[in-house]
Amino acid sequence: MFGFSERSISNILFWITRKKWLILSFLLSVSFFYFPTPDGLSSEGHRTLIIVLVALSLIVSETIPLPAVAMLILIMEVVLGVDTPDGVASSFMSDAVLFIMGSLMLAVSIVHQGLDKRLALLVITITGNKTWRIVLGFVTISALLSSFIGEHTVGAMMLPVALALIRNAGLSTGKATKLSSVLLFSIAYGCAIGSIGTPSGGGRNAIMIGYLAEFGMAEISYLDWIKMTYPMLLLEIPIVSLILWKTFTPSQKTMDSSVRKLKVQVAKTGKINANQLMAIGIFTLVFLGWIFFSPTFGLGIVALSGVFLYLSFGLINWKEINRNTNWGVILLFGSAISLGIQMKETGAAFWVAGQTLTYLEIIFQDVEIVRWFVSVVVAGLLTNLLSSAATVAVLGPIVLDMGGNPVITGFMTSIASAFAYLTVVASPTCMIIHSTGLITSADYFKAGWKLFIISVFLLLVVSLFYWPTLSL
Amino acid sequence: MKILIGISSKKFSEPTLDVGMRIASTLNSSTTILDVGKKVNEFSYKDVSIANELMESWDLDRPGVDVLEWAYNYLQSENYITKSSIDNSFSKNLLIDKGIGRSEVFLKGAAVTNLSLILRNGNIIEELRDEVQSFNYDLTIIGGSGRRRMAHDLVQYIDSSIFVVNNFNRKQTYRILLAVNDSKGNKKAVKFAVRVAQAFNIEVDIVSISNKEKISEKFHSASLRAEKMMRRTGVKSKVRSIEGDLVNTLVDAARDNHIIIMGTSSQSPISKFFLGSKPLAVMESCNCPMVIVK
């Protein structure tokens, strides 16, 4: 037919079935383009919202690679006349993107030092051999560490520790048990609650700081962030541990021989070496740099300085950083931030915020509740569907345009986007534990819904009673 | 002949392995056992890959290796394969990246010729199709449990013949139900039926089904040619002509004690895409193993 072989036609049909979301997005964007622009929305704002819809549908459906979505956002911004090529390029790169890029590279550098064995020893030395203490230890260490070096890094480093303990307990690492569930979820949920603790806990925190600065609403320092969020993190540690223990109580109440075997295994690797000490030292310097110098130099530049030191001291080579850094995510974050800025500048965010307030006020009767509902409940639910960073990138400009104190609304959105308890796609750590085959999609709901509700409540309490005591 | 056996869990894969290895042993084929693991989204794949690398440093197997290790041990326990006399010297299971998202598994102390264990991650249809198209397999064998949609898509989009091991019971005595007609693919289907009959040492029912009261001359001669081929290869067969609708008649005749073998449809891919085809309709309704020969 038309000179095509049967195989070519079959290939085309296969492509169509696999890329139906891409085709649908294209058709929808064309039809929305010809829709009359709604009242109160500028023509540029109308076109920006088309890009948002296309980007969201492609991110959720994963029909094309993420870097392709990132490029499509930039292409559409220029082709649809939302901004000039130079304007798009400058909105694409910001300190927030440099910070995300630097943090991902720092994470690769830290993992490369083999510190996971040290981490294992630290956990079991603190916790001893009682299983409930090990669970509490896993949640605590995961939460505290992920607040500084990023949840995905800690998740990757803690996973083998949990699997080694499971194997040492005489259980198969290929078969799900309550012990495997409680240990793996204590990593994933520990990392999730930890990621709110500092700007380096997750890319979304950097995106929100970037928006607040870019829109001239507030300059949030690393230390300001810690003051706002750390109390909530600390409160969540015992709550998460308790809920996980009650939901997945394992029959093994002590793990004596398992812990002993793990100690022997770690002891074989010898004492901490000079490179590992230097790696910890450089990260400590970076951390101090974030606290003391980020208001002047920016979070991104401090993070890149750390990467520079790792490379210069030969603790890692560029090939390794290049191989293990997720460049696609960096491109997507850059594009999403660019899109967020366009949403603000074209008035699209303001229009969506206004529409949301108008319609939801009919239901809730109070603008404060509407603002809380969108920035906490909607952000929390979207993060479980989209991914936390994409949620903040898209929802950020809208909630910041909903009135009230933008710092409070921005923080609530950022924190709620860490409530990644319900689905596999919600965060990289959820995906890491799911990839073991020991956790099914349904398992996420077992403890996840309880944590989601408690976290929403806790955030409300913190925002009502603690934040007003701070002068932000 | 190159055979691909797709498995995804220990629970449902024994019949698939049984069928695949019986055919592979008879034909002395090169066989690949493929496990397609969970799809990792793009936000997380680098993190998952780092976690997997760390697991190796802890002497822990990556997810999926355990399924292939189980499959290897199962084949050994059922005497489908014999370890070579010289074991390899790996101290642990090894996963070698072979590019395009596939890794070959080398098991500790295990070495055998003509068998590869491959691990992929992603969408099962896309990965199976990519494996078949990239390495030119002649036959793809998959389980039938809850996978009608998958088998349906594979029949549409891959070039190899497909064996759907639907409700296969090792204790059951099967016969082959070979549907013959005057299509171009008929000869291949007959040849394949001979191979399967030899592999399982079973008899063949050659059926020609037509809506018309009197079976056409072309169908009749196709049946005779098939019967002649069976006779020459020493396979016992019976010829039957049945009046009726192809799909329902074949499904009724097959019940659960036949292996249906039929050629692929000669319709164009576009027609198959929109209207479906007879082999696809049989596959969706039958309650027994089935082969669509391409």
Side-chain angles (χ1 to χ4, degrees):
Chain A
M1 187 183 283
F2 308 117
F4 288 112
S5 68
E6 282 209 356
R7 188 173 186 185
S8 305
I9 296 170
S10 174
N11 285 343
I12 293 168
L13 290 172
F14 184 73
W15 185 87
I16 291 171
T17 57
R18 297 289 121 183
K19 305 292 177 189
K20 51 184 179 285
W21 277 99
L22 178 65
I23 297 164
L24 195 67
S25 302
F26 175 74
L27 294 176
L28 275 177
S29 61
V30 170
S31 30
F32 283 142
F33 186 78
Y34 288 105
F35 267 22
T37 305
D39 288 340
L41 183 64
S42 67
S43 168
E44 287 82 9
H46 177 193
R47 282 174 262 155
T48 305
L49 287 182
I50 292 173
I51 305 172
V52 172
L53 286 176
V54 170
L56 284 181
S57 65
L58 294 178
I59 290 171
V60 173
S61 62
E62 290 187 54
T63 196
I64 57 172
L66 287 184
V69 179
M71 287 173 214
L72 184 68
I73 292 171
L74 301 180
I75 293 165
M76 287 180 80
E77 281 177 356
V78 176
V79 171
L80 293 181
V82 173
D83 203 349
T84 61
D86 282 344
V88 167
S90 64
S91 65
F92 173 75
M93 191 44 85
S94 60
D95 187 58
V97 179
L98 288 182
F99 179 55
I100 291 163
M101 186 166 78
S103 299
L104 290 176
M105 290 180 182
L106 281 175
V108 172
S109 309
I110 291 166
V111 169
H112 188 67
Q113 310 308 321
L115 285 164
D116 46 319
K117 303 261 189 337
R118 301 285 131 214
L119 197 57
L121 195 60
L122 175 74
V123 176
I124 54 176
T125 307
I126 295 172
T127 62
N129 58 12
K130 289 209 165 51
T131 313
W132 74 266
R133 289 185 60 147
I134 293 174
V135 170
L136 180 62
F138 266 50
V139 174
T140 311
I141 296 287
S142 300
L144 297 180
L145 280 181
S146 68
S147 69
F148 300 110
I149 60 174
E151 53 179 319
H152 50 97
T153 320
V154 179
M157 284 164 77
M158 291 292 285
L159 180 74
V161 184
L163 292 178
L165 277 173
I166 293 164
R167 182 187 57 186
N168 292 350
L171 301 172
S172 161
T173 50
K175 193 178 170 206
T177 57
K178 286 196 170 176
L179 183 67
S180 62
S181 300
V182 78
L183 289 181
L184 294 179
F185 273 119
S186 60
I187 297 172
Y189 291 166
C191 288
I193 59 169
S195 67
I196 66 170
T198 75
S200 50
R204 60 186 178 278
N205 302 345
I207 293 175
M208 187 52 81
I209 289 179
Y211 280 158
L212 286 167
E214 186 79 31
F215 304 158
M217 291 168 169
E219 294 288 341
I220 305 289
S221 72
Y222 199 85
L223 204 56
D224 291 336
W225 190 286
I226 293 178
K227 280 186 211 159
M228 292 278 279
T229 57
Y230 233 82
M232 177 158 170
L233 183 161
L234 296 174
L235 282 173
E236 288 226 89
I237 290 174
I239 295 172
V240 168
S241 309
L242 188 67
I243 288 178
L244 283 176
W245 184 258
K246 289 282 175 199
T247 311
F248 304 103
T249 312
S251 56
Q252 300 85 346
K253 298 291 185 283
T254 58
M255 299 183 72
D256 200 19
S257 72
S258 185
V259 167
R260 214 175 324 117
K261 282 180 197 165
L262 192 74
K263 277 184 180 165
V264 172
Q265 200 173 354
V266 175
K268 279 184 194 164
T269 59
K271 289 189 173 172
I272 192 160
N273 60 37
N275 278 6
Q276 290 172 333
L277 282 173
M278 210 188 295
I280 295 169
I282 291 175
F283 189 79
T284 311
L285 281 180
V286 171
F287 174 64
L288 294 174
W290 277 331
I291 290 181
F292 296 111
F293 301 117
S294 66
T296 316
F297 298 131
L299 291 164
I301 295 300
V302 173
L304 289 180
S305 307
V307 180
F308 168 79
L309 289 175
Y310 277 112
L311 283 166
S312 304
F313 282 104
L315 294 173
I316 191 164
N317 58 41
W318 175 251
K319 204 174 155 190
E320 195 64 25
I321 289 186
N322 188 31
R323 186 170 72 90
N324 285 324
T325 302
N326 197 337
W327 299 106
V329 163
I330 296 169
L331 276 178
L332 188 74
F333 283 1
S335 303
I337 292 172
S338 164
L339 189 57
I341 291 170
Q342 305 300 353
M343 282 173 75
K344 173 75 181 171
E345 287 184 353
T346 59
F350 186 73
W351 182 81
V352 175
Q355 296 293 313
T356 311
L357 286 175
T358 308
Y359 288 109
L360 288 182
E361 223 179 328
I362 298 168
I363 304 169
F364 295 111
Q365 306 287 319
D366 185 340
V367 73
E368 284 290 331
I369 297 176
V370 173
R371 214 176 284 135
W372 172 83
F373 178 80
V374 176
S375 58
V376 176
V377 181
V378 174
L381 292 175
L382 267 185
T383 206
N384 284 285
L385 296 174
L386 280 178
S387 101
S388 50
T391 300
V392 172
V394 173
L395 209 59
I398 298 170
V399 295
L400 293 178
D401 259 346
M402 286 175 79
N405 183 342
V407 176
I408 299 287
T409 324
F411 267 87
M412 285 205 292
T413 309
S414 246
I415 292 173
S417 67
F419 301 163
Y421 309 128
L422 303 173
T423 62
V424 179
V425 296
S427 74
T429 331
C430 287
M431 188 56 86
I432 287 172
I433 64 163
H434 180 67
S435 73
T436 61
L438 295 173
I439 304 288
T440 64
S441 301
D443 288 337
Y444 287 84
F445 257 87
K446 288 179 185 162
W449 70 270
K450 299 172 203 165
L451 280 174
F452 190 89
I453 291 172
I454 291 176
S455 299
V456 167
F457 175 73
L458 205 57
L459 178 55
L460 185 67
V461 171
V462 167
S463 65
L464 286 177
F465 299 105
Y466 172 62
W467 288 350
T469 65
L470 302 171
S471 54
L472 284 167
Chain B
M1 191 179 204
K2 288 179 78 177
I3 295 180
L4 176 68
I5 305 175
I7 60 172
S8 62
S9 70
K10 298 172 190 174
K11 204 174 171 185
F12 302 110
S13 298
E14 283 185 14
T16 318
L17 287 171
D18 276 324
V19 168
M21 292 312 291
R22 276 209 213 182
I23 297 173
S25 306
T26 310
L27 302 176
N28 200 18
S29 310
S30 132
T31 309
T32 298
I33 298 177
L34 172 73
D35 174 38
V36 179
K38 292 180 189 308
K39 186 180 179 187
V40 176
N41 77 2
E42 283 194 74
F43 280 106
S44 315
Y45 82 98
K46 285 279 183 188
D47 306 313
V48 171
S49 137
I50 289 173
N52 285 340
E53 280 178 24
L54 288 176
M55 279 168 66
E56 284 190 354
S57 77
W58 282 81
D59 216 7
L60 291 158
D61 282 332
R62 290 189 189 195
V65 172
D66 59 322
V67 176
L68 290 170
E69 189 173 15
W70 164 84
Y72 182 89
N73 291 335
Y74 177 75
L75 298 186
Q76 221 183 343
S77 68
E78 297 294 318
N79 296 320
Y80 288 121
I81 52 170
T82 45
K83 265 192 197 177
S84 68
S85 53
I86 309 161
D87 273 358
N88 65 43
S89 55
F90 306 141
S91 59
K92 63 186 287 294
N93 296 334
L94 277 184
L95 206 56
I96 310 291
D97 186 1
K98 293 280 180 177
I100 60 163
R102 68 199 286 273
S103 306
E104 181 154 11
V105 177
F106 292 96
L107 300 174
K108 180 183 172 183
V112 69
T113 50
N114 264 350
L115 180 73
S116 307
L117 305 173
I118 299 291
L119 190 60
R120 279 175 171 255
N121 279 88
N123 175 283
I124 196 158
I125 306 279
E126 288 172 16
E127 297 303 320
L128 269 171
R129 181 176 184 270
D130 192 51
E131 181 73 20
V132 172
Q133 310 289 66
S134 304
F135 298 94
N136 298 319
Y137 291 95
D138 302 293
L139 173 66
T140 303
I141 302 176
I142 55 170
S145 164
R147 299 198 193 153
R148 297 259 157 128
R149 182 71 230 171
M150 184 178 98
H152 183 280
D153 280 4
L154 285 175
V155 171
Q156 290 257 41
Y157 302 120
I158 69 173
D159 291 340
S160 76
S161 301
I162 298 189
F163 197 143
V164 183
V165 186
N166 194 21
N167 293 335
F168 181 77
N169 181 354
R170 285 178 72 174
K171 290 174 185 161
Q172 170 86 48
T173 308
Y174 284 95
R175 292 175 69 83
I176 288 172
L177 190 63
L178 172 65
V180 293
N181 56 24
D182 59 348
S183 70
K184 277 190 285 183
N186 190 57
K187 197 172 172 186
K188 276 189 180 175
V190 175
K191 274 188 182 171
F192 196 84
V194 171
R195 287 168 166 176
V196 177
Q198 288 169 337
F200 289 86
N201 194 22
I202 53 178
E203 296 177 16
V204 180
D205 290 328
I206 302 165
V207 289
S208 50
I209 300 168
S210 171
N211 277 325
K212 294 168 191 155
E213 201 173 312
K214 190 173 183 301
I215 214 92
S216 78
E217 192 55 41
K218 283 181 181 172
F219 274 42
H220 183 63
S221 57
S223 297
L224 292 180
R225 276 199 303 275
E227 190 190 20
K228 192 173 163 191
M229 170 88 88
M230 299 294 158
R231 211 169 38 242
R232 273 172 38 197
T233 50
V235 173
K236 285 184 185 168
S237 64
K238 284 180 188 163
V239 177
R240 291 160 67 192
S241 297
I242 311 174
E243 185 199 337
D245 164 67
L246 173 74
V247 177
N248 292 330
T249 312
L250 202 57
V251 171
D252 289 346
R255 297 195 303 276
D256 60 355
N257 58 356
H258 280 83
I259 297 172
I260 300 174
I261 297 181
M262 63 192 299
T264 187
S265 165
S266 52
Q267 289 167 263
S268 75
I270 292 181
S271 157
K272 273 190 265 190
F273 183 79
F274 288 107
L275 306 172
S277 69
K278 295 277 166 58
L280 281 174
V282 173
M283 193 192 68
E284 279 169 2
S285 322
C286 72
N287 199 27
C288 60
M290 179 183 182
V291 189
I292 297 177
V293 183
K294 289 191 175 180

